[in-house]
Structure formats: C-alpha cells, structure tokens
Amino acid sequence: MLDQNSYSKEDLVKAGTGEMFGEGNSQLPSDNMLMMDRIISITEDGGEYGKGEIFAELDISPDLWFFDCHFKGDPVMPGCLGLDAMWQLVGFFLGWSGGPGRGRALGVGEVKFTGQILPTNKKVTYKITLKRVIKRKLFMGIADGEVLVDGKVIYTAKDLKVGLFTDTTSF
C-alpha cells in the first residue's frame, strides 16, 4: 500500500469492510463511527520524527448523527470521537505499512481539549505524527496527534498507542 498516499471516502469504506488490507487485518470502523471523509496525505518517513505522518479530513454538516444527541439544545461533537479518529488513523497507518492483524487502541499518554466542534463549523483536520513504529511480533505505532477545526488546533494528544493483533481472543 505504500505506493498510494491519499484515500477517498470510497477507499476508506473499503478499509472498513476488510477489502483494503485483507481479511483478518486492520480495518477502519464503518458507517457512523468512521470519523474521516478522506486521507489527504500519508507518508512512511514524514513528520517531525521522520517515522510517518498522516493528514485526514472530516466535513462538518449540521445533520451529522452526534449533533442530535450530544447535547439536546447544545450540539457539539463529542471529544472522544476526535480521539477515536486519531487512533483510527494510527491503525490505518499500521495496516497501510504492511502490518498483519486487527487494530486495537492501547492507550494515550495525554489529551488536551481547548476547543469544540459545532454544527456551524466546516472542516475538521487530523494531523498524526508517528514517533515510533515497531514491526516485530507485535506491530505497534506510537504517535502524537492534533485535531483542528477550520484551521484552529482544538485537541492535542501525545503518545497515542495502537497495536495490531493476529489473535484478539485473549485481549
């Protein structure tokens, strides 16, 4: 997959059905839990640490499912969905770089929320910078991430951890 550096919504949907990386390997969530519309750029050697970098986007419209239920009369995108999107992208990176197995979020060192995503916003941008990629028996990525809304940084995360597991029965 390393020869393709951007992905459309249709591509990402295929990553949610197992078509992209093969059965039993990394998948993105499907339907409402897929928190991006496209990956603008993914590289194996970019970013601050030279280990890889991803830029992805989500278009905001007032009819997105979470605005109707979080919160009534005070709609805002749940911060946990932005955090999940960053984990989704680290997992996608691991599958894209050839890692076998199913992705699982393993933790995060620090998360800060300094803004919000409202129905009046236009675009969310995710920036993931890989700090470490382990390609041994365990495939694991450790990354820092930012969530921007209409160009302003509103969430930051340090040490996002995602691993790929060929057997998740004992996880």
Side-chain angles (χ1 to χ4, degrees):
M1 299 301 305
L2 295 175
D3 58 336
Q4 186 172 343
N5 297 100
S6 63
Y7 294 86
S8 67
K9 179 73 172 211
E10 294 77 20
D11 294 329
L12 299 178
V13 168
K14 287 179 182 176
T17 61
E19 295 174 64
M20 185 170 287
F21 301 125
E23 189 172 330
N25 289 320
S26 187
Q27 289 181 240
L28 286 171
S30 59
D31 303 322
N32 286 338
M33 285 305 296
L34 178 61
M35 297 310 305
M36 66 215 64
D37 289 318
R38 65 199 145 273
I39 293 177
I40 301 300
S41 172
I42 183 170
T43 64
E44 188 177 33
D45 56 2
E48 181 180 349
Y49 305 99
K51 305 287 183 183
E53 187 172 56
I54 311 164
F55 290 92
E57 295 177 336
L58 171 69
D59 297 324
I60 297 298
S61 67
D63 62 343
L64 287 170
W65 67 273
F66 44 79
F67 288 132
D68 189 43
C69 56
H70 190 266
F71 300 98
K72 294 286 184 187
D74 182 22
V76 61
M77 179 177 164
C80 60
L81 294 180
L83 177 59
D84 195 68
M86 291 188 276
W87 277 321
Q88 289 176 24
L89 287 164
V90 175
F92 184 91
F93 179 90
L94 294 174
W96 173 82
S97 63
R102 299 177 187 275
R104 295 295 186 265
L106 299 174
V108 61
E110 176 181 278
V111 179
K112 291 185 181 178
F113 299 101
T114 57
Q116 59 186 348
I117 300 166
L118 301 172
T120 54
N121 291 121
K122 301 297 178 211
K123 185 176 13 176
V124 173
T125 304
Y126 305 105
K127 177 185 176 186
I128 304 296
T129 304
L130 278 293
K131 296 170 77 171
R132 189 167 177 209
V133 180
I134 299 165
K135 295 181 176 182
R136 290 188 279 246
K137 185 176 180 181
L138 171 66
F139 245 72
M140 186 169 84
I142 302 170
D144 291 341
E146 293 181 336
V147 176
L148 298 85
V149 66
D150 297 335
K152 177 186 173 193
V153 176
I154 59 163
Y155 310 161
T156 57
K158 294 193 181 299
D159 297 327
L160 295 152
K161 294 179 185 88
V162 175
L164 298 182
F165 297 87
T166 55
D167 180 4
T168 60
T169 57
S170 63
F171 186 79

